[in-house]
Amino acid sequence: MGTGILTIDLDALAANWRDLARLSQGEAGAVVKANGYGCGAAEVATRLAREGARNFFVATAEEGATLRTSLGPGPVINVFSGHMASDTALIRDHALVPMLNSPEQAARHRAALPDAPYGVQLDTGMNRLGMEAPDWAATRAGLESGPLTLVMSHLACADDPGHPQNAAQLAQFKAMSASVTAPRSLSASGGILLGPDYHFDLTRPGIGIYGGLPFASARPVVRLSLPVVQVRDVALGETVGYSATFTAERPTKLATLSAGYADGLIRYMSNAAPLFAGDHACRLAGRVSMDLLTVDVTDLPEIPDHLDILCPRQSVDQLAEVAGTIGYEILTSLGRRYQRRHIGQ
Ligand SMILES: *Cc1c(COP(=O)(O)O)cnc(C)c1O
């Protein structure tokens, strides 16, 4: 097998969701945008639906349409980007629920699909998506008189419990949604951990389900094992890879692995990220190239068929740290060339 093997543990994923659902005051939904954070939206959502999740969230109507095909009728599929100009047929045909972000989207949805349910996304300070207070004031009466199923907003700083913007957004959300009778939703994974004041009727965990921070007690969900293509001996003083950035300071055994930045192992990991043979760490030697990595395996008693870059010894957040990014980006960059194997039911 020439490509890496990405193993997704659906039992661990389900246990993470159950933990986040137990922490949530109201109902817990599940965010499965970006192909379920790289883990396979179909497999992830199908499993979480069996665990009892009834509200799913995706970024775009296209993602929602694909997800509907996997989930079948029944579960609610909410779309964060709302109702964009070309979305009407997808929303109608796949029974999607757009989170309306502006008076324009509200007018478009009500005109195109007068009986179709919708949510509203409010901007409470992140300034990314959603209606600001004057937009909401102008559209609220009309929207509340139709099939409004959710009023939601999103926290910008929930991964930092001490950040003053959390309380400010909470206050703003309460003020904007006071006396709304539709269910309310404010918190993603980080907000769930801020405590019950932030939960309202429905939470929207994403990263925590997939084993990432800020849900520190999450179980690891992904393992990424990369096959060794070739092993060579490099003499003292020889260099390795593009731009010759690694120089052997001892006689070095070097393994070349089949994966590179085209598979989401970003070039900033060069000469830094460890890979694991069981418990034994081996360092990347030289630049990450498009399809290949070179690893110093001199200290291994025996060269295995595969080395792991994500495993219990190296979480997505630990790898992200080495790469100057966050676990979310490591997961959502996981390459299409990997064989994805889902274990657990
Ligand atoms: C991505 C997203 C979530 C999930 O966030 P996590 O931090 O991954 O839990 C929830 N709500 C909105 C609006 C999002 O964009």
Side-chain angles (χ1 to χ4, degrees):
M1 278 297 171
T3 63
I5 301 168
L6 181 65
T7 307
I8 293 132
D9 182 345
L10 293 174
D11 289 337
L13 176 130
N16 289 338
W17 181 80
R18 287 194 303 264
D19 280 354
L20 290 160
R22 216 172 287 125
L23 284 172
S24 299
Q25 287 293 106
E27 177 187 340
V31 179
V32 297
K33 61 195 180 186
N35 191 28
Y37 290 47
C39 293
E43 291 85 355
V44 167
T46 301
R47 173 61 189 262
L48 294 181
R50 276 201 5 237
E51 296 290 332
R54 288 176 292 140
N55 267 279
F56 293 88
F57 292 87
V58 293
T60 66
E62 284 78 3
E63 288 183 343
T66 306
L67 185 64
R68 178 61 76 203
T69 308
S70 310
L71 282 177
V76 180
I77 300 177
N78 301 288
V79 180
F80 289 138
S81 60
H83 189 147
M84 295 172 64
S86 54
D87 289 346
T88 303
L90 288 175
I91 289 171
R92 182 192 58 220
D93 296 348
H94 301 279
L96 308 178
V97 180
M99 300 293 108
L100 303 174
N101 287 298
S102 63
E104 293 70 31
Q105 287 200 346
R108 177 184 295 133
H109 186 72
R110 300 294 284 141
L113 302 170
D115 301 323
Y118 51 86
V120 170
Q121 181 154 209
L122 303 177
D123 177 44
T124 53
M126 186 170 182
N127 284 308
R128 184 180 70 168
L129 271 182
M131 295 195 201
E132 303 207 2
D135 300 332
W136 175 227
T139 49
R140 178 173 178 164
L143 289 173
E144 285 195 282
S145 68
L148 173 62
T149 57
L150 193 66
V151 174
M152 63 161 284
S153 187
H154 193 49
L155 297 167
C157 306
D159 59 343
D160 179 0
H163 200 293
Q165 189 164 329
N166 294 321
Q169 286 196 253
L170 175 61
Q172 177 71 356
F173 186 62
K174 282 183 175 161
M176 288 175 79
S177 65
S179 80
V180 161
T181 54
R184 295 189 285 175
S185 175
L186 179 62
S187 286
S189 304
I192 293 171
L193 302 173
L194 293 179
D197 285 355
Y198 287 83
H199 294 178
F200 297 90
D201 303 296
L202 176 66
T203 57
R204 307 186 307 271
I207 192 71
I209 301 174
Y210 305 95
L213 289 175
F215 185 36
S217 54
R219 295 153 192 79
V221 168
V222 295
R223 175 186 288 272
L224 180 55
S225 299
L226 306 176
V228 176
V229 182
Q230 192 180 9
V231 180
R232 78 182 62 246
D233 291 305
V234 179
L236 177 71
E238 283 193 289
T239 62
V240 175
Y242 282 123
S243 306
T245 63
F246 177 88
T247 304
E249 287 168 1
R250 58 176 178 168
T252 297
K253 199 170 278 299
L254 194 79
T256 302
L257 273 48
S258 175
Y261 59 73
D263 303 294
L265 301 175
I266 63 177
R267 196 161 159 280
Y268 198 77
M269 295 173 188
S270 298
N271 285 307
L275 286 94
F276 288 85
D279 278 339
H280 201 118
C282 308
R283 205 163 59 104
L284 268 179
R287 288 264 163 90
V288 174
S289 49
M290 187 183 296
D291 318 297
L292 297 166
L293 303 175
T294 38
V295 182
D296 183 346
V297 293
T298 313
D299 296 329
L300 291 184
E302 185 176 341
I303 312 299
D305 304 339
H306 290 79
L307 291 173
D308 292 343
I309 194 162
L310 293 172
C311 55
R313 285 293 312 274
Q314 181 156 260
S315 69
V316 289
D317 293 288
Q318 287 168 323
L319 182 61
E321 176 89 26
V322 180
T325 181
I326 53 175
Y328 296 77
E329 192 174 14
I330 296 292
L331 284 173
T332 57
S333 304
L334 290 168
R336 290 162 189 267
R337 288 193 286 202
Y338 299 137
Q339 303 171 56
R340 281 172 165 69
R341 293 186 182 164
H342 291 88
I343 60 169
Q345 292 307 302

